[in-house]
Every structure is written in C-alpha cells, then in structure tokens.
Amino acid sequence: RLHPASLSRVVRGLDLSRQKTRPRHPEADEAAKAAFAKGGCAVL
C-alpha cells in the first residue's frame, strides 16, 4: 500500500508524466464544432 503523496514519485520512476485533459469552454457550440470537422465552414 502506498500513501497518495508518494504516487508522484512512482510515476516519475516509471518515466511517465501526469496528463490532464484539455478543458472545454462552457459556451462551446457543438453544432459549429461538428460543421467545422466536416469542412462546412466558409471563409468570409
């Protein structure tokens, strides 16, 4: 059993790094995101 404070030492010992997910904006428009992914956005 390990103390939670010692986990960072274990992770570094395995040559790994702590990864975080990229935050999402609370007002992001999912429909606009899908249209952009399909190539449906026009340049004005």
Side-chain angles (χ1 to χ4, degrees):
R1 298 181 75 175
L2 296 172
H3 190 272
S6 66
L7 290 178
S8 62
R9 247 184 294 138
V10 173
V11 170
R12 281 195 311 263
L14 295 172
D15 285 333
L16 300 173
S17 63
R18 187 173 143 209
Q19 301 290 313
K20 288 179 65 176
T21 59
R22 187 173 179 154
R24 290 189 179 180
H25 195 279
E27 296 178 15
D29 186 3
E30 292 297 323
K33 183 177 167 184
F36 180 79
K38 291 180 182 178
C41 289
V43 177
L44 299 177

